[in-house]
Amino acid sequence: FIVFDVFKATKEEWFTAANLWHTRKIVDQGEHWYDTQYDSLRRLAVSTDNSLFIYFPKKHFRLERVEKEKRYYQDEWVIAQFTGQHFELGQHIGFVTVLIPNASDEKPKPWLKEIKFVDSDVSGKGMSVEINHDNKTIHLGIKCDLRMDMIRDYRRPKYTYKSGRIKFGKFESNGDFFYLEKSGKTLQFTVVNLSKAIYDGRELFSQKP
């Protein structure tokens, strides 16, 4: 599971934005990753046959911290990735979390070599993650500011392809969300709210004027 979180400032102010994940136990941890587990929900015992691997692939200007907390009337841990800065009106930042459920006797660390964060060509405009696994490449991402396309309010068209275009490696589009799956020479894709999509110089889709 890939989780994208975006914080957008609705006023000019100093903000601290945090990405929080909760757990009962941290079985193992390393640089930007945590193997976690729940063994109880208050008085209810929970099977420990499975764990949840939590990984933060976007690390630039991000701090991390683990603290004890009281949650649901029991002792738990909160895993936080956070950052703080002064925001201009409408400015935004994003967090990315990879969640991998796994059996308790599995070692999920090999996933770290198969997952990488891919920034947009203009850093901060979008976020994406590339996963290389079982001879298949999955690349998915989002546009952080869903209003960046809009160039006028008084008549149509209110946007242009150029105003909303973002490039992530070989993929270029003005879509809000995209999912690519490449196996050999076969490429399958889904793009949401777009007028054009291009992959490695080849046009995948173009909306008629």
Side-chain angles (χ1 to χ4, degrees):
F1 299 89
I2 313 295
V3 182
F4 296 103
D5 288 295
V6 178
F7 173 85
K8 183 175 182 178
T10 56
K11 62 179 179 179
E12 294 185 13
E13 184 62 86
W14 176 279
F15 287 107
T16 297
N19 183 20
L20 306 178
W21 297 92
H22 308 272
T23 187
R24 262 283 293 170
K25 296 169 63 179
I26 298 177
V27 181
D28 195 8
Q29 69 182 86
E31 194 173 358
H32 311 296
W33 64 267
Y34 308 84
D35 199 17
T36 68
Q37 197 175 80
Y38 264 91
D39 59 358
S40 69
L41 291 171
R42 200 178 180 188
R43 296 187 181 91
L44 177 67
V46 177
S47 170
T48 55
D49 292 341
N50 296 289
S51 300
L52 182 65
F53 187 67
I54 300 172
Y55 175 49
F56 300 127
K58 182 175 171 61
K59 307 148 191 169
H60 192 53
F61 287 134
R62 301 291 182 270
L63 302 173
E64 292 175 30
R65 189 163 178 167
V66 177
E67 291 190 11
K68 292 181 179 179
E69 66 173 351
K70 282 287 186 181
R71 187 169 178 265
Y72 196 55
Y73 307 100
Q74 64 181 8
D75 294 324
E76 294 196 6
W77 295 93
V78 57
I79 300 166
Q81 188 189 45
F82 57 96
T83 187
Q85 66 181 66
H86 182 271
F87 286 83
E88 301 295 334
L89 180 64
Q91 191 176 355
H92 56 269
I93 57 168
F95 299 92
V96 185
T97 310
V98 179
L99 304 173
I100 304 175
N102 57 280
S104 297
D105 57 355
E106 287 183 33
K107 297 296 182 184
K109 281 181 65 177
W111 276 101
L112 298 174
K113 297 179 180 179
E114 300 181 349
I115 300 168
K116 72 173 182 177
F117 176 77
V118 180
D119 204 353
S120 51
D121 54 347
V122 179
S123 184
K125 281 195 172 184
M127 301 183 293
S128 75
V129 172
E130 189 176 274
I131 304 168
N132 291 285
H133 184 68
D134 287 343
N135 299 315
K136 182 187 296 182
T137 299
I138 293 173
H139 189 189
L140 70 160
I142 65 163
K143 177 188 293 179
C144 289
D145 184 2
L146 301 181
R147 294 283 300 174
M148 67 176 285
D149 305 52
M150 300 303 175
I151 54 174
R152 59 192 178 198
D153 293 325
Y154 59 93
R155 64 186 176 90
R156 294 177 184 275
K158 296 182 178 181
Y159 59 90
T160 64
Y161 175 73
K162 185 178 179 180
S163 65
R165 168 209 164 279
I166 301 180
K167 189 173 183 180
F168 299 91
K170 294 181 179 181
F171 180 73
E172 176 186 319
S173 178
N174 62 336
D176 293 343
F177 170 83
F178 73 90
Y179 176 93
L180 309 173
E181 191 171 301
K182 194 170 189 294
S183 180
K185 294 183 179 181
T186 302
L187 176 69
Q188 295 177 301
F189 63 94
T190 296
V191 190
V192 178
N193 292 341
L194 80 158
S195 57
K196 187 187 293 184
I198 298 170
Y199 182 81
D200 200 15
R202 192 182 88 193
E203 191 174 274
L204 302 178
F205 173 84
S206 182
Q207 179 63 44
K208 293 180 179 180

